[in-house]
Amino acid sequence: MYVVIGGAGMMGLSLAQQLLKLGHTVAIIDIDPLACRFAREKIGVMAFEGSAVSTAILLEAGIRQADAVVAALRNDALNLALITLARSYGISHIVVRMRDREFLEAYRLAQASHIISTVDLAVATMANAIEYPEVESMMHFEQGQVEVLKLPLPEDCYATGRTVAQIAQDPRFPTGSLIIGYQRYPHANLEIPNGNTVLEPGSTILVVTRPELVHPMIDFLGIEASRLPTLEVSHPNL
């Protein structure tokens, strides 16, 4: 996939690096010559110096051949202009980083495919860290009707040493919840567990549940925040 990124700030550069690792071709546009030089020499992507809302620069960067555009510029007004230009070149897959929620409706009207609020993400993560210190990370789906939890399993919690089937068949296991992922140790590949998978100490599980069952799930598994290692969650520059 050929991706054009407007903005070589921390988010744009980090995204370019990640997309490159995933095998995509990336072009990044920024008015800062030092940022463009860094993108070329340190990350290894194409970088074009100039305004990402300039048609001449967009054409130079290959906007007509792009499969996707990311608007990660320094302010929402510029991002909105980039979305409009990208649409005019027939790009249907457009991701935008939103700083100010007042632009949400404007982004929707401009038909951005995905609107990512870095502030909302950071606030939600912090709130979850306060409310659920046992949870390593949490994702919300269907307007918050479904939660996917990433839970580390300390050595002496209830779940360790038991199979997924044993846990699911326990009458105390929150109804309608599922264990959908299993990571045996940090940085190991994520597995799809079956009923015979034994949950080992130090492993991590992914659990799908409803919002009102998050606390009951944590209580059932016997995970206590005081026994967990310090967790660090990084966010792009806000």
Side-chain angles (χ1 to χ4, degrees):
M1 183 179 291
Y2 183 43
V3 183
V4 174
I5 300 175
M10 183 179 292
M11 171 172 282
L13 291 172
S14 298
L15 178 60
Q17 188 172 31
Q18 182 65 22
L19 290 173
L20 194 65
K21 289 179 181 178
L22 293 171
H24 300 292
T25 302
V26 179
I28 197 164
I29 303 171
D30 200 277
I31 58 174
D32 186 347
L34 293 179
C36 289
R37 181 178 177 182
F38 183 89
R40 294 188 199 100
E41 297 180 0
K42 301 298 183 181
I43 298 179
V45 298
M46 294 180 288
F48 298 85
E49 185 181 337
S51 172
V53 295
S54 161
T55 55
I57 296 296
L58 287 171
L59 289 170
E60 185 181 353
I63 187 71
R64 293 189 188 278
Q65 291 76 45
D67 300 293
V69 167
V70 177
L73 296 166
R74 291 168 178 80
N75 66 66
D76 288 293
L78 288 174
N79 280 335
L80 190 59
L82 178 53
I83 293 170
T84 303
L85 286 170
R87 281 286 178 187
S88 74
Y89 287 112
I91 308 300
S92 59
H93 192 184
I94 304 172
V95 179
V96 59
R97 185 266 298 274
M98 180 175 66
R99 289 179 177 271
D100 188 339
R101 286 192 61 84
E102 290 187 1
F103 278 80
L104 178 60
E105 189 58 31
Y107 284 142
R108 286 174 174 166
L109 290 172
Q111 298 182 322
S113 308
H114 299 277
I115 303 168
I116 311 298
S117 171
T118 50
V119 172
D120 286 353
L121 286 173
V123 169
T125 300
M126 291 178 184
N128 288 337
I130 297 298
E131 180 69 12
Y132 308 109
E134 306 87 352
V135 178
E136 184 172 328
S137 63
M138 180 184 300
M139 293 179 288
H140 311 279
F141 295 92
E142 295 300 317
Q143 291 77 48
Q145 297 179 62
V146 177
E147 308 283 3
V148 178
L149 316 176
K150 185 177 182 181
L151 295 165
L153 300 179
E155 184 173 351
D156 54 349
C157 80
Y158 170 80
T160 54
R162 289 177 168 82
T163 66
V164 170
Q166 288 174 326
I167 293 170
Q169 291 166 7
D170 191 306
R172 297 171 298 164
F173 187 73
T175 303
S177 304
L178 291 172
I179 298 175
I180 62 169
Y182 180 60
Q183 191 176 31
R184 294 184 183 277
Y185 53 87
H187 310 300
N189 292 330
L190 185 69
E191 304 173 20
I192 306 300
N194 58 44
N196 295 321
T197 301
V198 178
L199 304 183
E200 301 173 2
S203 62
T204 302
I205 59 173
L206 293 184
V207 178
V208 177
T209 192
R210 297 194 302 276
E212 67 271 18
L213 296 177
V214 172
H215 274 307
M217 176 63 71
I218 292 170
D219 292 341
F220 166 77
L221 294 173
I223 301 172
E224 296 179 11
S226 60
R227 295 181 297 176
L228 298 175
T230 300
L231 302 176
E232 179 180 339
V233 179
S234 60
H235 278 276
N237 184 26
L238 302 180

